[in-house]
Amino acid sequence: MKSPFRKLVRISVVLLVLVLLFNFFGYYFNHIKSLENKELIESINRSGEQQALSQRIAKESILLLSNPGQGPATPFRDSLSAQLEALQQLQTQLQQQAGTIPPPVPQQIFQIKLLLASSQPYFQSIIAIGQELTQADSGLLVMNKKLYLRDILYNEQKYSSLLSEVNQHYSELVREKNAEVATIDTGKLISLLVAIIGLIILVLEPAFKKGEKNYKELQKARNELLNEKKFLASILRSQTNYVIRINRAGHFTYANPAFLKTFGYTEQEIQHILFYTTIFPKDLNRCQ
């Protein structure tokens, strides 16, 4: 492979790996963030608290209508007034939360907005009746007791029913977000695997290249050595002079064919013979 082309391929692989990694981790961190979205959980808590508040307001209203006198009715009025204020604050927060969901807006949020809009008339009626109860004198409470009871119970029932659906939609939305986090899309997983393989290739390819080069050089040196060995062996076999090799212990390790033929040894026999046993006695002292 040409060097410039090889560099171009490596740059392309690096860019591909970066795109795949950004693709996977962008997807993953996106959904991790949605898993940790506390605002959705807070909205569930708000809608549940609103249901409880509307029910307490209805009970406080019934107690107030049952005790219209100024003395025992005063604590009911104060409690009812505080609960009405808390209900208004929660309603405002819930509407603001539904309106601040960033796009793309889930279908559940559209349903929640529709339910909140539908609950607004019942909410306003509860607030209006509750404020009227906290400010009306005992005579008016006694006169309109049945009307107040009917209206407060009707509006509370409708309002609580709609908020229950709001709570249900928020819960489904949270479950969907959790399911998206728990399930990694197959395409994203494949992109991660391809990116990892690309990184492995980038890291190991130079090592493979160097290893291949070293292997070729080693094979070349080995072939050259074998050729030299064959060449040397051919020289030694064709040599008419005696050529031997002995070790430090005095044993033969090699003898050329001229030596073996002259003295009548074989290659196997010569390996077990000490070199001085082949010397004529008259030449032994000189050889030593």
Side-chain angles (χ1 to χ4, degrees), residues 37-44 46-47 50 89-120 162-163 165-167 169-170 173:
N37 194 346
K38 296 180 181 180
E39 293 182 353
L40 289 176
I41 305 298
E42 290 175 357
S43 297
I44 294 176
R46 288 193 191 104
S47 61
Q50 278 180 293
Q89 291 178 353
L90 287 175
Q91 181 77 4
T92 302
Q93 292 174 358
L94 196 61
Q95 288 177 329
Q96 289 176 347
Q97 171 62 26
T100 57
I101 300 296
V105 180
Q107 180 65 29
Q108 302 288 355
I109 297 298
F110 287 112
Q111 295 293 334
I112 290 170
K113 289 181 178 180
L114 180 61
L115 288 170
L116 288 176
S118 301
S119 70
Q120 197 66 18
L162 291 172
L163 281 184
E165 293 185 36
V166 169
N167 201 333
H169 283 295
Y170 268 123
L173 184 60

Side-chain angles (χ1 to χ4, degrees), residues 207-225:
F208 287 148
K209 196 73 177 177
K210 186 176 180 180
E212 183 183 1
K213 181 181 178 181
N214 292 339
Y215 177 76
K216 288 181 179 179
E217 291 178 352
L218 182 63
Q219 286 294 103
K220 182 180 178 181
R222 179 175 176 274
N223 293 334
E224 290 176 354
L225 183 61

Side-chain angles (χ1 to χ4, degrees), residues 85-266:
E85 184 178 354
L87 186 67
Q88 286 178 311
Q89 291 178 353
L90 287 175
Q91 181 77 4
T92 302
Q93 292 174 358
L94 196 61
Q95 288 177 329
Q96 289 176 347
Q97 171 62 26
T100 57
I101 300 296
V105 180
Q107 180 65 29
Q108 302 288 355
I109 297 298
F110 287 112
Q111 295 293 334
I112 290 170
K113 289 181 178 180
L114 180 61
L115 288 170
L116 288 176
S118 301
S119 70
Q120 197 66 18
Y122 306 111
F123 167 77
Q124 295 293 346
S125 296
I126 292 173
I127 296 297
I129 295 171
Q131 290 176 345
E132 189 172 342
L133 290 177
T134 58
Q135 297 171 4
D137 56 23
S138 58
L140 183 62
L141 294 179
V142 172
M143 184 183 304
N144 297 322
K145 177 179 179 179
K146 292 183 180 180
L147 179 62
Y148 284 140
L149 285 175
R150 183 191 65 189
D151 289 346
I152 194 70
L153 291 176
Y154 172 78
N155 287 288
E156 187 278 329
Q157 182 181 6
K158 292 293 185 179
Y159 182 71
S160 181
S161 176
L162 291 172
L163 281 184
S164 178
E165 293 185 36
V166 169
N167 201 333
Q168 183 179 355
H169 283 295
Y170 268 123
S171 299
E172 290 177 1
L173 184 60
V174 170
R175 283 196 294 270
E176 289 177 3
K177 295 293 184 182
N178 291 342
E180 289 175 1
V181 174
T183 306
I184 298 179
D185 185 75
T186 304
K188 307 299 181 182
L189 181 60
I190 292 174
S191 69
L192 177 63
L193 294 177
V194 172
I196 292 174
I197 293 172
L199 288 174
I200 292 173
I201 291 174
L202 287 175
V203 173
L204 298 182
E205 189 266 344
F208 287 148
K209 196 73 177 177
K210 186 176 180 180
E212 183 183 1
K213 181 181 178 181
N214 292 339
Y215 177 76
K216 288 181 179 179
E217 291 178 352
L218 182 63
Q219 286 294 103
K220 182 180 178 181
R222 179 175 176 274
N223 293 334
E224 290 176 354
L225 183 61
L226 289 175
N227 291 333
E228 290 178 1
K229 184 177 180 180
K230 290 179 181 179
F231 180 69
L232 180 60
S234 65
I235 293 176
L236 293 176
R237 289 183 180 279
S238 62
Q239 184 63 252
T240 57
N241 294 324
Y242 302 146
V243 181
I244 63 171
R245 183 171 61 242
I246 59 176
N247 59 20
R248 291 181 179 274
H251 289 88
F252 283 98
T253 59
Y254 175 78
N256 69 335
F259 182 89
L260 296 174
K261 183 178 180 181
T262 301
F263 293 97
Y265 294 111
T266 63

